[in-house]
Amino acid sequence: MSAITHPSPASVPREVALGAVHALPILAGAVPFGLLLGSLAAKAGLTPLDMGLMSGIVFAGSSQFVAVELWGHGAPGLAVVASVLLVNLRHLLMGATLAPRFRGVPPLRAGLALFFMTDEVWALALRRGQALTFGYWFGVGLTLYVGWLSATVAGTLAGALVADPAAWGLDFTFIAVFLCLLAGLWTGVGSLPPWLASAGAALAVNALTPGGPWHILAGAVAGGAVAAWRGKAVS
């Protein structure tokens, strides 16, 4: 896998715009989810400023939901931070798949880019393939970042207006987004083993520890392990 390409300066705005356009369908699903998170945060006693700081610093929907739920149940701050870190451990595996692309990139620039790495940014970067550029990366990342930050703060400002999110289908929005991302990464039947391993491990761990964050890490590790094993077997 080659490193991130460096197009001419004149093409950078076009790459940024292309990334923003590709992020818009994902943002359409993320906004309702962000509003829901903000509403739950208001019920848990968080202010719009609290929500803005969380979204601005953490920028990870799944771990933010875990944090808000724990906070609402009066969990200690250390437990909340530990849970967020646990859920986001999957980013280590995601970053490893992109490591060849960042070879030779100055650490400060690489760190800034990787701050915007979410599941969606990672998936679109993989789909971009050899044509991946920093302009495209930041176009996707900044679009989702600003949209997510705005949606979560707006949801907190609105407060507990949504009494039953499931009645509006808001609980399914991110599931739909991830199904679309999976469809975009489909390369044939050979894609199934890591997906099935990830799904099986996540479901099994969730059955053993319902409501906890461990199933997210288990799914990521299982899927990554199967993918690595298949890669070695092929080579």
Side-chain angles (χ1 to χ4, degrees):
M1 184 182 292
S2 61
I4 291 179
T5 58
H6 297 277
S8 63
S11 64
V12 171
R14 184 173 67 248
E15 287 291 304
V16 173
L18 182 62
V21 169
H22 286 180
L24 288 179
I26 297 174
L27 185 60
V31 166
F33 212 57
L35 293 172
L36 171 59
L37 174 60
S39 177
L40 294 175
K43 293 179 182 178
L46 297 176
T47 67
L49 177 60
D50 295 332
M51 191 74 257
L53 289 173
M54 181 190 291
S55 293
I57 296 173
V58 179
F59 186 41
S62 55
S63 60
Q64 286 183 248
F65 267 91
V66 171
V68 167
E69 182 178 359
L70 290 174
W71 187 269
H73 286 85
L78 185 60
V80 175
V81 173
S83 297
V84 169
L85 291 175
L86 175 62
V87 173
N88 286 338
L89 278 177
R90 71 189 189 284
H91 287 200
L92 294 176
L93 299 175
M94 292 158 55
T97 64
L98 294 174
R101 298 295 184 90
F102 286 86
R103 189 176 294 118
V105 177
L108 183 61
R109 189 177 187 184
L112 178 61
L114 291 174
F115 171 79
F116 293 101
M117 188 183 69
T118 62
D119 301 283
E120 297 81 8
V121 175
W122 172 79
L124 289 180
L126 289 184
R127 285 185 59 187
R128 187 74 169 151
Q130 302 300 326
L132 178 63
T133 64
F134 273 112
Y136 181 85
W137 177 281
F138 282 107
V140 175
L142 286 171
T143 300
L144 295 179
Y145 182 81
V146 173
W148 178 253
L149 179 62
S150 302
T152 53
V153 172
T156 310
L157 286 170
L161 295 180
V162 183
D164 185 10
W168 295 82
L170 295 179
D171 56 334
F172 188 72
T173 53
F174 250 32
I175 296 176
V177 168
F178 280 107
L179 287 176
C180 291
L181 291 176
L182 283 176
L185 293 173
W186 173 260
T187 58
V189 179
S191 304
L192 279 177
W195 295 8
L196 293 175
S198 180
L203 290 172
V205 173
N206 187 59
L208 294 173
T209 58
W214 292 99
H215 63 286
I216 299 174
L217 179 61
V221 171
V226 171
W229 174 78
R230 284 173 56 81
K232 288 184 177 180
V234 171
S235 60

